[in-house]
Amino acid sequence: MIFSIFIYSLVFLLIVCSVKVVVITVTENKLAEENNQLISHKIKVELIEAETNKQHIKLVNDLNESLNWRIFKVFEEMILLQEFVFKKHFN
């Protein structure tokens, strides 16, 4: 009688431990899947940010190039104006 109660108790503990292991494993798998989704989302966000930064850099470079061209044209006009004034003054 006592021996059978002992055996039933051991079987019950074995079942409880098995269920706990299964629950822990399932929970770990769900957490790992959520973690993978978060990492995937973070990578997508970083790629979008990198593309946005790349577009901003291109825009700044284009604006800088345009500004440099305009400054060059202003200096060119100043030189032509100086030549014109010099010719008018000394001729």
Side-chain angles (χ1 to χ4, degrees):
M1 177 78 177
I2 293 177
F3 184 71
S4 63
I5 292 174
F6 178 73
I7 295 295
Y8 286 131
S9 297
L10 285 178
V11 170
F12 177 75
L13 286 175
L14 182 64
I15 291 171
V16 168
C17 289
S18 297
V19 168
K20 283 185 177 182
V21 167
V22 168
V23 168
I24 289 171
T25 303
V26 168
T27 304
E28 285 179 346
N29 288 342
K30 286 182 181 179
L31 289 174
E33 183 179 329
E34 288 177 7
N35 190 35
N36 287 341
Q37 289 175 351
L38 288 173
I39 290 171
S40 175
H41 179 72
K42 181 180 177 184
I43 290 171
K44 288 177 185 175
V45 168
E46 288 175 354
L47 287 173
I48 290 170
E49 287 176 349
E51 184 62 30
T52 302
N53 289 341
K54 182 179 169 185
Q55 290 173 354
H56 285 158
I57 289 170
K58 184 180 180 327
L59 179 63
V60 168
N61 286 340
D62 289 347
L63 289 173
N64 192 25
E65 185 177 323
S66 175
L67 182 61
N68 287 342
W69 178 251
R70 289 178 185 171
I71 290 171
F72 173 75
K73 288 307 239 179
V74 167
F75 279 122
E76 192 176 58
E77 291 291 325
M78 286 174 55
I79 290 170
L80 290 174
L81 184 60
Q82 285 176 350
E83 287 176 357
F84 177 76
V85 169
F86 185 77
K87 285 180 183 177
K88 285 288 191 185
H89 183 69
F90 290 105
N91 286 335

